[in-house]
Amino acid sequence: MQSLDSFKCRKKLTVGTRTYHYYSLKTAEKNGLPGISKLPYSMKVLLENLLRFEDGRSVTKEDILAVSAWLDDRGTADKEIAFRPSRVLMQDFTGVPAVVDLAAMRNAMQKLGGDAEKINPLVPVDLVIDHSVIVNFFGDNKAFAKNVVEEYKQNQERYEFLKWGQKAFSNFSVVPPGTGICHQVNLEYLAQTVWTRKEKMTVGKKTGTFEVAYPDSLVGTDSHTTMVNGLAVLGWGVGGIEAEAAMLGQPLSMLLPEVVGFKLKGALKEGVTATDLVLTVTQMLRKQGVVGKFVEFFGPGLDYLSVADKATIGNMAPEYGATCGFFPVDNETIDYLKTSGRKADRVALVVKYAKAQGLYRTSASPDPVFTDTLTLDLGDVVPSMAGPKRPEGRVALPAVADGFSLAMQSEYKKAGDAAKRYPVENRNFDLGHGDVVIAAITSCTNTSNPSVLIGAGLLAKNAAAKGLTAKPWVKTSLAPGSQVVAEYLANSGLQLELDKVGFNLVGFGCTTCIGNSGPLPEDISKSINDNGIVAAAVLSGNRNFEGRVSPDVQANYLASPPLVVAYALAGTVTKNLAVEPIATGKDGNPVYLKDIWPTTKEINATMKKFVTSTIFKKRYADVFKGDTNWRKIKTVESETYRWNMSSTYVQNPPYFEGMKKTPEPIADVVDARILAMFGDKITTDHISPAGSIKLTSPAGSYLSEHQVRPADFNQYGTRRGNHEVMMRGTFANIRIKNFMLKGADGNIPEGGLTKHWPDGEQMSIYDAAMKYQQEKVPLVVFAGAEYGNGSSRDWAAKGTRLLGVRAVICQSFERIHRSNLVGMGVLPLTFEDGTSWSSLGLKGDETVTIRGLQGDLKPRQKLTAEIVSADGTLRRVPLLCRIDTLDELEYYRNGGILHYVLRKLAA
């Protein structure tokens, strides 16, 4: 598709011996887009995308002018644009169902009389298998090998399917297990900062193939895709549903965003880590309110942050609620591209292109124009942790113990038991509230950052020298974000030091942060559950929601890797490590944190010596080849997938059953029952199946009926390719509370339970939904504020749809989940300000009718819900339709984004 180039800005750029074509922002500014040089850098990336894809249909001249007008309205004009990312990134939890959907679309295409081969990614797609390793084994040097064997045993079917996909689909590559976390592989290898593509174009009078250069951009099926924002790559997390549309060549419909400028000045003090900084930034931005907005960092403080530090901040964008946390190209970007082994001609292109486009920031660059700004002096950041249940719940290190004590009183209602200790069978120790039972160096947030990994290694070295080791009740683990980390820890001798205190390598991938922490030792788990102990986990991850890390752990704290090691040595969060000793050394003297904390000078010297371009080049030389386990996997080559009907991992989903070439008209929701009523901040972890599968759950019953032993249940994430398991696990989180079940004493039972009406029988949400389906009764869900925050889990929307939910009505949505609901044909609706299901006094036994869907439905249309109480009282409640754009309306009319794309391709 060649741009109409209304602003006559296509130019040539010569770098060395190669010539590229590009769409010049500086020329466009002269030719009718005044002032665009003042735009935030992230907005310039969006503008270049529109200039390059101007076709008069999905991108018009008026859309491009609206970006220039942004300087006046600052993103408040609700202007819709179509963005086409350069590529798509997936991890295997969300990638498997996306590939399942592609395979199902090939079957559906055949049934509609079309060509199955048309179903192919049209932009490059990289899937990194990183979410399937579980910490079953830990604490010795055999743990890694044992966990690998277990991973392949549990995931053979999924891996066979992905290998089929790698061969069947063009433009699709798979990074095998054991390589690293998708975000870190993206940062260290896949991302290029400036992307190139050969395209057929007419230039002057010559028609031919020319190489076009443009900013690297992407969407990813993991919300922490934003980590690559630290490398000046614009990208964010989307649901698998949106990602599939992007793969199939559909533009991503979005509103021109508000851009909040976050000014950094000064430099971090001695002993303060990038983790402390990001927890501070997260807390500030949550307070500011940046949901649905871009955040862009600027100011002199950027000169003192490495790309790894910036990536740590970018990674946490979902935790502060923003679409992205962007950093422009600067000298640090170029240094990182060189150190990480990018090719010299690519680095030269990045420098020349970014400078030609006004995308290169220096200390002399003027500040861009922003919608709003806030400022942080890096010198004010102090050592911190976040917990016990929210990433924005930052507390300074000295206040952690007091914070836990307060939570024992307010959250856990166990203040009177705080000092009690309980026996552990067959062990010579006891357990108490606040004891750390999991200490994990995990997740992309920190493992991309050599400064904190080497800091942890040096702290371990200092601790081991004093005779300290992890307490015997602590499950310790080190799961690096890439093999590069393992290489520099091994070469520097620091892995041996980490081994001494209990932090042996357990695998490469997302582990504890996504609930893949594995079971605690049985005797410890039994003591926790028998005695109601509020146990703690300390992890270097980005998520600490309830029920996420381990079903046995209620209090979860995010911390830097050095602090993770320190808390493993202390064994409890009830100590103030700023002043109290961590433990007693082998000489009988108390050891304090300050005695073992490494200096910045030591950390930097170790980094300079051992983090080199040589190890990046070595570790990424054969990145798609995989280990012997991967190479042994056999798969059949075929155009369509040969579904195994007995598989409990991969099944053909029912989305396209009975689908016709043209969609049926939208019907009003009439006399729907309420499936559940939830409170505020229900995360996608609460909605989407995640973590371990309980024997007594609907999903556990299904697997048992299919002769799967409980030991082989695996976890929900690995079974995302099987809708039968996933719909049974939707709304089944062990901590979710349905207010419909509130007792006379005010207590609400936890877990995925509801009442079926009109009989009032209590049952699982899945069983109730199936009963309503048999009765042909539509369903709605009510919730409070920030519904669906957290990870971009497509199953939170898919499961909702498969349970028969027609609409979700709440006070506000998190961006990705709202979009995913529309993408699955579920209607998102919000109350007017000041109204909630609680203020309306709803009990859950009401019926709900939503009129106005038939006929001429428009984006953000005002609708009315007719709510009839059990006694026959009728109330009319105003609602806002949160289908925000015309493209979204088309998806909804078609029953979902996949149906829309399939019909378009079939036509």
Side-chain angles (χ1 to χ4, degrees):
M1 181 171 76
Q2 184 167 344
S3 172
L4 296 176
D5 195 15
S6 293
F7 296 91
K8 305 297 175 219
C9 61
R10 192 177 61 228
K11 295 184 72 177
K12 286 183 184 178
L13 183 74
T14 302
V15 185
T17 58
R18 297 175 75 168
T19 298
Y20 302 90
H21 288 260
Y22 77 108
Y23 290 82
S24 166
L25 297 175
K26 290 181 179 177
T27 305
E29 184 167 28
K30 290 175 189 167
N31 294 345
L33 296 177
I36 60 168
S37 54
K38 297 176 191 169
L39 285 169
Y41 292 92
S42 52
M43 287 295 293
K44 289 179 182 177
V45 175
L46 288 183
L47 175 57
E48 186 281 340
N49 197 274
L50 297 178
L51 290 168
R52 185 160 34 94
F53 285 107
E54 185 195 355
D55 60 0
R57 297 187 309 278
S58 63
V59 180
T60 64
K61 185 178 180 180
E62 288 67 33
D63 295 335
I64 295 167
L65 286 165
V67 185
S68 178
W70 186 94
L71 290 158
D72 298 318
D73 64 57
R74 312 284 174 92
T76 58
D78 279 358
K79 172 62 186 173
E80 179 192 348
I81 60 162
F83 173 62
R84 286 177 170 85
S86 310
R87 56 195 177 91
V88 174
L89 178 72
M90 295 181 164
Q91 36 93 327
D92 56 308
F93 268 19
T94 45
V96 166
V99 182
V100 164
D101 289 350
L102 285 176
M105 286 174 80
R106 281 197 165 185
N107 292 126
M109 182 65 110
Q110 281 185 334
K111 285 182 183 173
L112 289 173
D115 178 6
E117 288 281 356
K118 277 189 178 179
I119 305 295
N120 260 320
L122 297 177
V123 299
V125 178
D126 294 291
L127 186 149
V128 182
I129 301 174
D130 66 350
H131 273 50
S132 298
V133 59
I134 301 175
V135 189
N136 288 305
F137 304 96
F138 68 99
D140 61 48
N141 285 329
K142 293 178 183 172
F144 172 64
K146 287 180 177 175
N147 285 327
V148 167
V149 169
E150 192 66 20
E151 179 185 352
Y152 273 91
K153 185 178 128 192
Q154 293 279 12
N155 295 287
Q156 189 72 20
E157 286 182 43
R158 299 168 70 242
Y159 293 173
E160 284 172 5
F161 174 67
L162 287 175
K163 238 185 165 178
W164 167 81
Q166 188 171 26
K167 290 180 178 177
F169 297 112
S170 55
N171 242 351
F172 178 69
S173 65
V174 175
V175 176
T179 308
I181 290 162
C182 63
H183 313 304
Q184 193 152 343
V185 173
N186 192 19
L187 188 78
E188 293 179 349
Y189 178 73
L190 298 171
Q192 300 297 319
T193 305
V194 174
W195 205 257
T196 63
R197 177 173 169 161
K198 289 183 177 171
E199 292 181 13
K200 285 182 181 172
M201 294 194 306
T202 301
V203 176
K205 293 182 180 177
K206 185 182 175 187
T207 298
T209 301
F210 300 89
E211 194 162 12
V212 180
Y214 46 94
D216 187 0
S217 63
L218 77 157
V219 289
T221 61
D222 188 298
S223 50
H224 297 101
T225 298
T226 50
M227 180 159 144
V228 81
N229 296 167
L231 196 61
V233 176
L234 184 62
W236 54 84
V238 295
I241 303 150
E242 286 175 290
E244 287 164 42
M247 287 190 314
L248 294 165
Q250 296 303 301
L252 196 70
S253 177
M254 60 182 287
L255 296 170
L256 276 179
E258 294 181 40
V259 185
V260 175
F262 196 121
K263 187 172 188 175
L264 296 172
K265 60 182 187 179
L268 294 174
K269 289 185 295 202
E270 178 68 34
V272 175
T273 68
T275 315
D276 304 320
L277 169 59
V278 77
L279 293 177
T280 305
V281 167
T282 300
Q283 189 176 50
M284 287 176 69
L285 284 168
R286 266 288 170 197
K287 190 176 177 186
Q288 174 88 3
V290 292
V291 172
K293 301 175 185 178
F294 280 19
V295 170
E296 183 168 305
F297 295 87
F298 73 108
L302 266 58
D303 295 331
Y304 300 98
L305 295 180
S306 67
V307 162
D309 292 341
K310 294 169 185 174
T312 306
I313 296 169
N315 181 287
M316 290 283 273
E319 275 58 65
Y320 41 83
T323 303
C324 60
F326 189 78
F327 291 83
V329 177
D330 61 11
N331 294 340
E332 286 291 338
T333 315
I334 305 308
D335 286 348
Y336 183 85
L337 290 171
K338 288 175 182 173
T339 302
S340 55
R342 263 60 170 211
K343 291 177 180 172
D345 59 350
R346 180 60 51 134
V347 177
L349 172 62
V350 172
V351 173
K352 195 154 186 184
Y353 178 87
K355 287 182 176 176
Q357 287 285 50
L359 292 172
Y360 200 111
R361 184 203 72 87
T362 69
S363 53
S365 300
D367 294 342
V369 170
F370 294 107
T371 307
D372 202 356
T373 59
L374 65 168
T375 303
L376 172 66
D377 188 329
L378 297 175
D380 292 339
V381 178
V382 296
S384 303
M385 290 166 64
K389 57 194 275 191
R390 293 278 168 205
E392 66 267 28
R394 184 194 70 86
V395 281
L397 183 62
V400 171
D402 286 345
F404 178 77
S405 182
L406 193 64
M408 282 293 287
Q409 183 180 331
S410 59
E411 290 284 336
Y412 308 116
K413 316 292 184 197
K414 294 191 176 187
D417 299 343
K420 281 188 184 171
R421 307 288 299 174
Y422 301 91
V424 181
E425 286 175 18
N426 307 317
R427 299 286 192 123
N428 61 355
F429 57 79
D430 52 21
L431 279 180
H433 300 293
D435 277 9
V436 175
V437 294
I438 291 176
I441 299 175
T442 179
S443 176
C444 40
T445 320
N446 294 279
T447 58
S448 65
N449 198 328
S451 67
V452 287
L453 266 295
I454 284 167
L458 290 169
L459 185 138
K461 181 181 179 181
N462 297 337
K466 292 183 179 290
L468 304 191
T469 188
K471 291 289 187 283
W473 55 83
V474 185
K475 181 173 186 175
T476 48
S477 61
L478 166 65
S482 77
Q483 293 180 2
V484 168
V485 178
E487 185 89 1
Y488 65 66
L489 287 177
N491 294 348
S492 62
L494 292 178
Q495 184 59 60
L496 290 173
E497 303 296 342
L498 285 160
D499 292 348
K500 287 177 191 173
V501 299
F503 284 86
N504 305 77
L505 177 72
V506 297
F508 297 95
C510 289
T511 52
T512 305
C513 192
I514 57 162
N516 286 10
S517 53
L520 293 180
E522 277 183 30
D523 40 15
I524 291 175
S525 177
K526 187 174 187 305
S527 181
I528 289 170
N529 289 295
D530 286 355
N531 300 299
I533 295 171
V534 181
V538 182
L539 61 149
S540 68
N542 44 33
R543 293 273 160 85
N544 58 336
F545 303 137
E546 295 171 279
R548 182 180 178 102
V549 167
S550 163
D552 293 333
V553 180
Q554 292 187 63
N556 301 297
Y557 290 87
L558 304 182
S560 65
L563 281 178
V564 171
V565 177
Y567 273 91
L569 304 173
T572 178
V573 294
T574 62
K575 279 186 179 181
N576 177 356
L577 294 195
V579 294
E580 293 181 61
I582 289 175
T584 303
K586 60 186 176 186
D587 60 3
N589 291 322
V591 178
Y592 293 88
L593 188 60
K594 61 182 169 58
D595 300 332
I596 57 174
W597 196 270
T599 65
T600 304
K601 189 177 177 183
E602 286 176 280
I603 292 169
N604 288 342
T606 309
M607 278 168 56
K608 190 173 181 183
K609 187 172 180 183
F610 294 103
V611 183
T612 64
S613 61
T614 308
I615 61 172
F616 283 90
K617 287 172 182 171
K618 174 185 169 186
R619 286 298 177 177
Y620 284 110
D622 280 318
V623 70
F624 299 111
K625 196 173 174 186
D627 62 9
T628 51
N629 296 292
W630 180 256
R631 294 197 293 274
K632 279 182 197 166
I633 292 173
K634 300 275 191 295
T635 190
V636 178
E637 289 188 41
S638 55
E639 180 186 74
T640 54
Y641 187 63
R642 296 176 187 176
W643 303 97
N644 174 2
M645 299 315 289
S646 63
S647 171
T648 55
Y649 278 98
V650 177
Q651 283 294 335
N652 192 351
Y655 309 131
F656 309 112
E657 281 176 10
M659 180 179 162
K660 295 172 182 154
K661 284 194 174 181
T662 54
E664 302 283 340
I666 303 170
D668 287 343
V669 178
V670 179
D671 292 336
R673 284 289 179 181
I674 303 169
L675 184 61
M677 300 194 316
F678 300 122
D680 294 339
K681 293 194 175 186
I682 292 297
T683 69
T684 47
D685 277 7
H686 287 110
I687 307 165
S688 179
S692 57
I693 300 171
K694 289 197 177 298
L695 178 62
T696 53
S697 68
S701 301
Y702 166 85
L703 291 172
S704 295
E705 286 162 15
H706 285 74
Q707 283 71 56
V708 180
R709 297 179 308 132
D712 296 326
F713 276 7
N714 213 328
Q715 53 193 319
Y716 282 111
T718 58
R719 294 188 182 272
R720 279 186 176 177
N722 184 348
H723 61 279
E724 295 287 2
V725 171
M726 298 305 281
M727 61 195 281
R728 284 167 171 79
T730 302
F731 298 118
N733 182 286
I734 56 171
R735 296 281 174 248
I736 200 167
K737 290 181 179 180
N738 180 359
F739 283 76
M740 197 189 289
L741 304 178
K742 190 173 184 177
D745 58 359
N747 286 333
I748 305 162
E750 293 182 323
L753 300 169
T754 193
K755 285 182 180 176
H756 173 270
W757 299 104
D759 53 44
E761 185 187 349
Q762 184 169 309
M763 59 183 72
S764 76
I765 283 178
Y766 169 77
D767 289 334
M770 293 305 102
K771 197 169 177 183
Y772 283 127
Q773 275 192 24
Q774 286 169 357
E775 296 161 354
K776 295 188 167 44
V777 174
L779 298 171
V780 297
V781 165
F782 281 102
E786 290 184 48
Y787 182 75
N789 68 11
S791 295
S792 55
R793 300 198 184 281
D794 55 332
W795 266 110
K798 286 178 174 176
T800 300
R801 166 72 183 268
L802 290 177
L803 291 179
V805 175
R806 290 279 313 275
V808 175
I809 307 165
C810 64
Q811 286 164 269
S812 62
F813 288 97
E814 193 90 349
R815 177 186 65 86
I816 297 173
H817 186 58
R818 181 204 63 78
S819 164
N820 282 350
L821 287 172
V822 177
M824 284 310 298
V826 179
L827 183 65
L829 300 163
T830 52
F831 293 109
E832 289 186 335
D833 285 351
T835 307
S836 65
W837 64 257
S838 179
S839 72
L840 293 168
L842 301 188
K843 294 175 184 165
D845 58 356
E846 298 84 358
T847 60
V848 181
T849 296
I850 301 158
R851 307 269 183 210
L853 305 181
Q854 293 171 332
D856 192 24
L857 183 65
K858 292 183 174 62
R860 299 184 73 90
Q861 185 171 319
K862 290 187 176 176
L863 299 169
T864 301
E866 297 168 2
I867 302 177
V868 180
S869 302
D871 63 5
T873 307
L874 167 66
R875 269 174 298 182
R876 288 188 171 83
V877 180
L879 299 172
L880 178 67
C881 169
R882 284 302 313 276
I883 294 173
D884 285 356
T885 68
L886 289 168
D887 277 352
E888 285 185 348
L889 188 56
E890 278 303 307
Y891 302 152
Y892 182 68
R893 284 191 192 288
N894 275 272
I897 200 166
L898 301 180
H899 304 75
Y900 170 77
V901 170
L902 191 54
R903 284 189 178 107
K904 237 182 145 186
L905 289 171

